[in-house]
């Protein structure tokens, strides 16, 4: 049984985050949903789009140089506050530093039978249909457009023949807020109200992927508020419906679920360990919550987003990142219970 720790927006505060994970008993795997800020040196600050008061190095350079090593295997997607020059060098994914793996603009890996897929960046409609034309040195426009999601990445992830156990993104899927406690969300974030009314909160392409891929868990960040949803999946979306992503809600088709077959070309992060049979691994890795254990419904996704401070935070804990008994711990404690996942 894997123990997974999840962080929303990291903002370069790796030391504090890893320290808190260790304090809470450690983890087999760490997932970070963007704004990671992989700054290797001061030159990378020129590729970081943040307000001037937040232009600081953070901890990553020590991990990049080898002065420190991540104590837990860490998987990362990009957000909208990144050293985009470095991430662009690893467009298809790769090791940012020892034990820290970037999933690329869009990518999928397998670790100990757990399939984790991810997509980087945020959605902006005016750039969605464009190619990636940005290159360093960035100007005031391209330093922002470089992290905008393109249809190429969405279509690539949509063609996965094996459903992810976990989908990792920076943006929220569009309309997901309507599946949870919307009243409380508006109370905590009143300035979301207009976006919710206009149906512009979150990413329409990610909503498509939610319907298409039917992951067991979806983890996102970006909006700096904790929000948990149990989402009931409908019938599969066919590949013919890939056209028009992001322009309108995609109606699910009656196509059958895609098979979970072994893929010899998949990237495995198991290193020297033999890769387990995925069908067997599905039975041995517990990722159902108490809320759905009784019916063990495979067509349900639990979507989580991380609660951060309103400004770039001190990541002092993995508060509300640990899922115990189907509930997020308000105090970030495991309460001496068996931790199935998160």
């Amino acid at each position: 049984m894997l123990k997974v720790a999840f962080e929303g927006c990291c903002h370069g505060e790796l030391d504090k985050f890893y320290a808190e994970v260790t304090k809470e008993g450690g983890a087999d795997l760490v997932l970070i949903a963007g704004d990671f800020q992989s700054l290797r040196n001061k030159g990378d600050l020129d590729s970081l789009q943040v307000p001037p008061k937040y232009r600081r190095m953070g901890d990553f350079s020590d991990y990049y140089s080898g002065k420190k090593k991540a104590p837990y295997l860490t998987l990362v997607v990009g957000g909208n506050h990144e050293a985009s020059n470095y991430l662009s060098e690893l467009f298809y994914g790769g090791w940012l530093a020892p034990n820290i793996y970037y999933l690329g603009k869009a990518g999928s890996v397998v670790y100990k039978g757990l399939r984790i897929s991810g997509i980087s960046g945020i959605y902006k409609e005016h750039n969605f249909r464009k190619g990636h034309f940005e290159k360093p040195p960035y100007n005031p426009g391209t330093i922002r457009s470089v992290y905008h999601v393109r249809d190429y990445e969405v279509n690539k992830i949509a063609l996965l023949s094996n459903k992810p156990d976990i989908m990792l993104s920076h943006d929220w899927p569009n309309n997901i807020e309507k599946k949870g406690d919307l009243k409380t969300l508006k109370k905590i974030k009143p300035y979301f109200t207009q976006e919710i009314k206009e149906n512009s909160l979150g990413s329409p392409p990610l909503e498509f992927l939610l319907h298409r891929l039917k992951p067991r868990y979806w983890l996102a960040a970006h909006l700096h508020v904790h929000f948990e949803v149990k989402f009931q999946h409908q019938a599969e979306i066919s590949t013919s419906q890939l056209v028009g992503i992001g322009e309108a809600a995609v109606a699910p088709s009656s196509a059958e679920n895609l098979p979970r077959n072994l893929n010899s070309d998949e990237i495995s992060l198991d290193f020297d360990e033999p890769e387990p049979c995925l069908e067997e691994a599905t039975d041995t890795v517990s990722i159902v919550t108490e809320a759905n254990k009784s019916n063990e419904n495979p067509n349900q996704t639990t979507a989580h987003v991380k609660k951060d401070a309103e400004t770039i935070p001190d990541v002092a804990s993995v508060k509300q990142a640990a899922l115990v008994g189907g509930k997020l711990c308000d105090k970030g404690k495991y309460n001496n219970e068996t931790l199935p996942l998160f």
Side-chain angles (χ1 to χ4, degrees):
M1 185 179 295
L2 292 177
K3 183 187 289 186
V4 179
F6 167 61
E7 172 66 7
C9 299
C10 179
H11 293 295
E13 300 277 331
L14 277 172
D15 289 348
K16 292 181 179 180
F17 176 59
Y18 285 140
E20 188 62 26
V21 173
T22 300
K23 179 182 175 182
E24 299 292 345
D28 298 298
L29 182 66
V30 166
L31 304 177
I32 298 178
D35 288 357
F36 180 73
Q37 297 183 2
S38 52
L39 296 159
R40 299 164 293 181
N41 51 55
K42 290 184 179 179
D44 286 343
L45 287 168
D46 293 335
S47 299
L48 178 68
Q49 197 285 305
V50 294
K53 65 179 179 179
Y54 297 126
R55 287 173 62 85
R56 56 175 179 256
M57 283 296 298
D59 304 324
F60 176 76
S61 61
D62 287 341
Y63 294 87
Y64 179 78
S65 67
K67 182 178 179 180
K68 299 175 183 177
K69 182 179 178 180
Y72 313 104
L73 177 62
T74 302
L75 303 186
V76 178
V77 294
N80 58 313
H81 299 300
E82 303 289 1
S84 295
N85 59 332
Y86 186 28
L87 296 191
S88 293
E89 294 175 15
L90 298 171
F91 184 91
Y92 297 104
W95 296 101
L96 292 171
N99 228 25
I100 301 176
Y101 189 87
Y102 171 53
L103 289 172
K105 288 289 187 180
S108 188
V109 299
V110 174
Y111 179 65
K112 296 187 182 299
L114 194 69
R115 180 172 288 103
I116 302 122
S117 304
I119 189 163
S120 295
I122 62 173
Y123 172 73
K124 293 294 181 181
E125 184 178 7
H126 61 278
N127 281 323
F128 185 63
R129 300 293 178 187
K130 299 177 182 178
H132 285 286
F133 55 87
E134 303 88 354
K135 61 182 179 180
Y138 300 115
N139 61 41
T142 59
I143 200 172
R144 290 173 171 81
S145 65
V146 67
Y147 54 71
H148 293 165
V149 173
R150 304 313 210 268
D151 58 352
Y152 168 76
E153 284 103 43
V154 175
N155 285 313
K156 183 170 71 170
I157 285 291
L159 292 173
L160 283 171
S161 60
N162 293 303
K163 297 177 183 179
D165 294 300
I166 299 173
M167 184 70 188
L168 195 62
S169 69
H170 192 60
D171 247 348
W172 293 21
N174 189 224
N175 285 311
I176 199 66
E177 75 280 359
K178 298 169 185 174
K179 304 297 183 179
D181 188 351
L182 187 58
K183 182 178 179 180
T184 299
L185 179 64
K186 288 180 178 180
K187 183 177 180 180
I188 297 172
K189 298 284 189 177
Y191 45 88
F192 285 180
T193 302
Q194 187 62 30
E195 290 179 271
I196 293 169
K197 183 179 179 180
E198 296 171 351
N199 198 35
S200 60
L201 187 72
S203 167
L206 295 189
E207 182 183 18
F208 167 81
L209 290 178
L210 176 64
H211 288 285
R212 169 67 179 165
L213 297 177
K214 296 181 173 62
R216 299 185 185 187
Y217 284 85
W218 189 301
L219 304 177
H222 188 44
L223 298 183
H224 290 199
V225 61
H226 168 68
F227 194 65
E228 183 179 1
V229 173
K230 294 292 192 301
F231 181 86
Q232 186 67 42
H233 293 299
Q234 303 300 319
E236 194 72 43
I237 292 175
S238 66
T239 54
S240 64
Q241 290 175 287
L242 291 175
V243 178
I245 297 172
E247 295 176 356
V250 182
S253 75
S254 59
E256 295 182 357
N257 292 340
L258 293 171
R260 297 175 63 87
N261 298 322
L262 288 168
N263 180 355
S264 60
D265 294 325
E266 270 186 318
I267 297 173
S268 172
L269 298 184
D270 290 327
F271 306 110
D272 296 330
E273 300 177 19
E275 184 171 344
C277 173
L278 296 180
E279 287 78 8
E280 294 177 358
T282 300
D283 295 331
T284 58
V285 179
S286 174
I287 62 173
V288 296
T289 68
E290 292 294 335
N292 69 2
K293 262 185 185 175
S294 59
N295 55 17
E296 295 187 350
N297 190 343
N299 291 323
Q300 181 166 286
T301 285
T302 302
H304 303 287
V305 294
K306 175 72 170 57
K307 181 177 181 180
D308 293 320
E310 289 299 317
T311 57
I312 291 183
D314 288 331
V315 184
S317 69
V318 285
K319 182 178 180 181
Q320 296 179 324
L323 182 64
V324 179
K327 296 181 180 179
L328 290 168
C329 304
D330 291 337
K331 297 182 180 180
K333 302 295 183 182
Y334 296 157
N335 300 332
N336 298 317
E337 298 183 46
T338 301
L339 184 67
L341 186 66
F342 303 101

